[in-house]
Amino acid sequence: MSNVTGKSHPELAADFNKDEPRVDWHDETLWWVRAKRDIAAHKLPEWELLRETASQIKHNVLSNLYTYLQQFEANAQKNGVVVHWAADAAEHNQIVHKLLSDKGINRMVKSKSMLTEECHLNEYLKEHGIDVIDSDLGERIVQLAGEPPSHIVLPCIHKKKEEIGDIFHEHLGSAKGESDPKILTETARQHLREVFLTRRAALTGVNFAVAETGEFVICTNEGNADMGAHLAEIHIASMGFEKIIPERKHLGVFLRLLTRSATGQPITTYSSHFKKPQEGREIHIVIVDNGRSIQLGREDFRNSLKCIRCGACMNTCPVYRKSGGHSYHTAIAGPIGSILAPNLDMKKYADLPFASTLCGSCSNVCPVKINIHEQLYAWRQVIVKEGYSPASKTAAMKAMAFTLSSPVLYRSAGKMGRVVFKYAPFAVNNKLNPWYKHREMPKAPEQSFGEWYSKRKEGQN
Amino acid sequence: MSREKILAAIKANQPEKTDLPDLDILNALTATEGSLVQQYTTIASAGGSFVYEVADFEAIKSILQKEFKPGVKIISGIKELKDYTFAEDVAHELAHSFADVELAILPSYLGVAENGALWLTETQMNVRVLPFISQHLAVVINRNDLMPTMAQAYDKIGNADYGYGAFISGPSKTADIEQSLVIGAHGPRSLSVFILT
Ligand code: SF4
């Protein structure tokens, strides 16, 4: 969802941080998921080779997309699937809308698709009188709450069960005060079963699309994509063009990596391979660009298109865990989202590459070995050069550039800094210093490097 | 046309061609030793499945009789289990008419020890929605059809033609509410796997 508040990441993170116990809980929950990922990964001695292989396959894909996409299209068409191409979000939404309105359909069930979040499909369809119900439990919860998902794999990770209980009480008629996850899940099951059985159209995302066979694969634990798609007359699958993989056997590599990285499970409950429509039914695939071809041309950032949306980089990120997914004000939060978003709108998302400590934990867990933290660093340079630096950074950086450019000032700034740290910490820790808020200030050393160096030299003499 | 525009942009922007990696070394590393049945059972049970090693179809019948009351709607895709409605006989019915199925029993010819997954195509499902819409699911597989990892599984699938196929590794589940695992999200509330030994 777009940033309706107009606030930047630091401001939104500050809002999230007002409730400290909740921040701790959010932090710990995600770290627990990260720990499960580690256990799963360590069980496979070949894990690193698996990652390297996946990364190489994806590299081959990026270098050969022009051919693979056409191969995929031709094979899908042979299978009886209709293929559409959308240059941007608007075209994607129009295609989906037309498919529905041509059949006189005004209600649709949808399984998880971050692409439709990116395109704001739900809002668009609503404006055109089409009701969309998200069927993934987490997505249904945030949809009822009127919020976007805060995590690509765990959409309502920011919500407490009591809050979910209140939402269900209001919208689905569960008992007041009920917060048992089992009972709430059963409530959603009954509600959504009725939805699955009455919707003529289902939209799903795509995890992998195989050029060699024209089939596409969707992974869920709940079975909601299948319930929707198999009961509907028309199944629309939306995919970013980077979802292509060359051959069916490559699915083995990616399916082994995806959920181990995401939640620590060895595989999702369902990995569904859609190749041909059922008799008398339709499958449509919408292949979406929406800025991806531009990212493909940016040498420093094209690797971000290898992403398989496992969410591992978010679970491990110290900034994400403590600032919450909504603080990124873009459909895909966290480290990878902070690389993807500036490609779409450098000015609007100029703050995001700065929402990182550059610790590199994201790159270490990424199953397709994207150099995430290096790309975040590279974006900072581009953003500064293009003059889009977030306001909070600019003043401090100007001062810093000025100080660094003058040896005399640099030396005295160091000395002064130590004095200020030691005797007047409040002067550093105040709202006027934009750097303090984003950084743990180090303890001031007893002597500055310059002083130490000259004393050392004196000693030698 | 957007198609041409997108493809042209991709052609102009894609990097210099790199080769696909060789999967042989990786796949050789993944071929595990030890009992596949045991490995399958451990992993599938951890994922919430009930795994039974059985000698024959009679054994399956007696387990099912204990678990399911007479009178509930049970559909079987296995001809040896013909006390129940035979799936082929009802395959032409509207998908929605299976909404009241209590148990579906289907065969699988490919299981994966490393993750508990069972491969079923439309042919074994009879109706695509059947293994999803049933309140409970049972799958029967021969012990010789278990493979160590997904690498060998896709080797076995090869270039088979199917309209639809799925790896199913357990009952439908979710952990979306505060990460607490709940079995029975939208699909089957249980998965029983019968391994014929
Ligand atoms: S960038 Fe890597 S770790 Fe992050 S979601 Fe994508 S694949 Fe997963």
Side-chain angles (χ1 to χ4, degrees):
Chain A
M1 192 172 279
S2 58
N3 184 9
V4 278
T5 59
K7 287 185 182 173
S8 66
H9 179 271
E11 291 166 319
L12 292 162
D15 290 346
F16 186 75
N17 276 288
K18 280 180 191 143
D19 185 350
E20 252 187 69
R22 180 187 289 262
V23 176
D24 292 343
W25 165 78
H26 188 262
D27 180 19
E28 281 159 23
T29 311
L30 286 157
W31 187 253
W32 179 68
V33 180
R34 149 82 211 245
K36 288 199 294 177
R37 171 258 173 220
D38 289 350
I39 294 168
H42 294 158
K43 274 191 189 138
L44 295 190
E46 70 273 29
W47 182 254
E48 288 306 316
L49 183 58
L50 202 53
R51 286 175 75 211
E52 182 57 36
T53 306
S55 187
Q56 284 178 23
I57 295 170
K58 281 284 184 179
H59 207 90
N60 167 271
V61 168
L62 297 184
S63 73
N64 210 13
L65 261 174
Y66 178 72
T67 311
Y68 286 149
L69 277 165
Q70 292 178 79
Q71 193 190 348
F72 174 74
E73 178 190 40
N75 285 323
Q77 285 168 344
K78 246 186 270 166
N79 296 335
V81 170
V82 186
V83 179
H84 310 260
W85 299 74
D88 52 25
E91 193 177 9
H92 165 264
N93 295 348
Q94 283 155 15
I95 291 169
V96 174
H97 180 225
K98 186 163 189 315
L99 286 169
L100 299 173
S101 59
D102 281 355
K103 290 192 178 300
I105 294 174
N106 60 9
R107 299 191 303 174
M108 179 171 81
V109 65
K110 188 178 117 215
S111 72
K112 206 188 275 166
S113 149
M114 289 318 295
L115 178 60
T116 59
E117 294 290 333
E118 176 187 319
C119 295
H120 305 299
L121 176 72
N122 283 15
E123 293 94 315
Y124 176 88
L125 290 179
K126 194 173 172 192
E127 277 164 27
H128 290 79
I130 291 173
D131 175 65
V132 180
I133 288 189
D134 285 314
S135 60
D136 171 84
L137 178 60
E139 290 216 321
R140 186 65 184 133
I141 291 166
V142 288
Q143 186 182 33
L144 288 172
E147 295 172 15
S150 70
H151 187 292
I152 59 175
V153 176
L154 320 162
C156 67
I157 192 72
H158 61 292
K159 283 231 177 296
K160 298 262 195 181
K161 58 179 192 262
E162 291 77 18
E163 294 166 297
I164 297 168
D166 289 345
I167 294 167
F168 277 25
H169 172 66
E170 187 188 335
H171 295 276
L172 306 179
S174 59
K176 194 168 170 55
E178 183 58 70
S179 66
D180 180 345
K182 263 196 193 131
I183 293 170
L184 295 177
T185 302
E186 181 65 27
T187 305
R189 177 184 171 100
Q190 300 302 341
H191 153 64
L192 285 164
R193 199 156 247 262
E194 199 273 328
V195 172
F196 290 128
L197 286 164
T198 51
R199 295 304 184 268
R200 292 167 56 204
L203 189 141
T204 68
V206 168
N207 287 90
F208 305 101
V210 186
E212 176 194 36
T213 58
E215 73 199 295
F216 59 94
V217 175
I218 304 171
C219 306
T220 74
N221 280 321
E222 299 180 8
N224 57 317
D226 291 280
M227 282 290 274
H230 299 329
L231 288 167
E233 286 164 37
I234 172 170
H235 170 190
I236 305 168
S238 295
M239 62 176 263
F241 69 53
E242 79 282 13
K243 297 284 167 175
I244 290 280
I245 60 170
E247 297 167 40
R248 185 186 273 167
K249 68 176 182 210
H250 295 133
L251 285 169
V253 174
F254 290 105
L255 291 181
R256 298 187 77 202
L257 283 166
L258 179 62
T259 36
R260 283 184 173 99
S261 301
T263 58
Q265 287 173 265
I267 192 169
T268 43
T269 304
Y270 305 104
S271 309
S272 306
H273 301 47
F274 290 84
K275 195 160 174 236
K276 301 171 188 170
Q278 303 179 81
E279 217 185 280
R281 318 275 186 91
E282 295 172 25
I283 297 182
H284 295 257
I285 295 174
V286 190
I287 300 175
V288 182
D289 181 339
N290 203 35
R292 287 165 176 75
S293 57
I294 300 171
Q295 189 86 324
L296 187 65
R298 295 189 204 265
E299 199 185 334
D300 289 343
F301 305 110
R302 65 163 63 106
N303 270 347
S304 60
L305 295 171
K306 292 180 175 179
C307 176
I308 58 172
R309 304 283 191 268
C310 71
C313 57
M314 298 166 200
N315 305 340
T316 202
C317 177
V319 176
Y320 176 90
R321 283 187 275 120
K322 295 215 174 81
S323 60
H326 288 156
S327 66
Y328 292 81
H329 59 88
T330 173
I332 297 180
I336 185 66
S338 302
I339 300 172
L340 297 172
N343 176 57
L344 277 177
D345 188 336
M346 211 182 288
K347 190 160 176 248
K348 188 170 163 195
Y349 300 115
D351 54 331
L352 294 186
F354 294 88
S356 165
T357 63
L358 301 183
C359 69
S361 184
C362 45
S363 307
N364 285 335
V365 296
C366 177
V368 287
K369 293 183 95 166
I370 300 172
N371 55 336
I372 306 171
H373 71 295
E374 286 166 16
Q375 292 191 35
L376 288 168
Y377 182 61
W379 261 129
R380 292 182 186 186
Q381 286 160 308
V382 175
I383 284 165
V384 171
K385 213 162 109 201
E386 305 273 326
Y388 292 128
S389 313
S392 64
K393 303 283 179 195
T394 317
M397 277 192 292
K398 272 193 192 135
M400 173 116 145
F402 179 62
T403 312
L404 290 177
S405 66
S406 152
V408 177
L409 261 178
Y410 170 71
R411 276 199 292 273
S412 61
K415 263 184 199 158
M416 271 170 59
R418 278 176 296 112
V419 174
V420 173
F421 269 161
K422 248 179 155 165
Y423 302 108
F426 56 89
V428 188
N429 178 11
N430 72 28
K431 283 205 185 84
L432 296 174
N433 183 347
W435 284 74
Y436 186 83
K437 200 165 161 190
H438 303 215
R439 284 175 177 70
E440 198 66 49
M441 290 311 240
K443 213 171 143 264
E446 293 300 317
Q447 49 185 355
S448 76
F449 176 76
E451 285 168 345
W452 170 80
Y453 189 71
S454 43
K455 269 195 194 142
R456 189 169 164 267
K457 260 168 72 180
E458 276 162 27
Q460 272 173 359
N461 285 344
Chain B
M1 269 271 288
S2 290
R3 179 185 185 276
E4 275 59 47
K5 211 171 85 188
I6 296 167
L7 285 171
I10 288 173
K11 196 174 182 188
N13 287 343
Q14 67 187 17
E16 204 177 307
K17 183 146 191 310
T18 58
D19 291 334
L20 276 170
D22 187 353
L23 298 189
D24 290 348
I25 303 169
L26 177 68
N27 294 356
L29 279 174
T30 59
T32 52
E33 288 171 17
S35 158
L36 292 179
V37 173
Q38 207 182 348
Q39 204 189 334
Y40 180 90
T41 306
T42 309
I43 304 261
S45 307
S49 303
F50 301 108
V51 185
Y52 305 89
E53 283 178 58
V54 288
D56 52 25
F57 288 99
E58 284 308 312
I60 299 176
K61 270 186 214 167
S62 64
I63 293 169
L64 290 178
Q65 270 159 15
K66 250 182 268 157
E67 298 292 329
F68 292 91
K69 295 193 273 314
V72 298
K73 188 162 167 183
I74 297 179
I75 294 187
S76 160
I78 295 172
K79 57 180 183 314
E80 287 87 350
L81 297 171
K82 52 180 174 248
D83 298 356
Y84 312 110
T85 307
F86 192 45
E88 257 178 47
D89 298 341
V90 290
H92 59 277
E93 284 180 19
L94 191 70
H96 296 69
S97 68
F98 298 94
D100 59 347
V101 172
E102 188 65 17
L103 170 70
I105 314 163
L106 302 170
S108 164
Y109 301 102
L110 171 58
V112 188
E114 72 161 332
N115 57 24
L118 301 156
W119 173 249
L120 285 90
T121 68
E122 202 169 11
T123 312
Q124 286 102 47
M125 296 175 183
N126 292 280
V127 183
R128 282 187 198 188
V129 82
L130 191 55
F132 299 94
I133 205 169
S134 305
Q135 294 291 334
H136 299 271
L137 178 65
V139 175
V140 181
I141 187 167
N142 196 299
R143 65 173 299 152
N144 298 326
D145 289 331
L146 293 180
M147 299 285 141
T149 78
M150 294 300 277
Q152 292 78 34
Y154 277 104
D155 266 357
K156 189 167 173 193
I157 293 173
N159 58 5
D161 192 23
Y162 46 74
Y164 170 81
F167 280 105
I168 300 177
S169 67
S172 155
K173 54 176 170 276
T174 180
D176 274 343
I177 302 176
E178 283 199 12
Q179 283 297 293
S180 36
L181 181 69
V182 180
I183 304 272
H186 303 298
R189 298 172 189 275
S190 75
L191 171 64
S192 305
V193 183
F194 295 102
I195 302 177
L196 283 166
T197 55

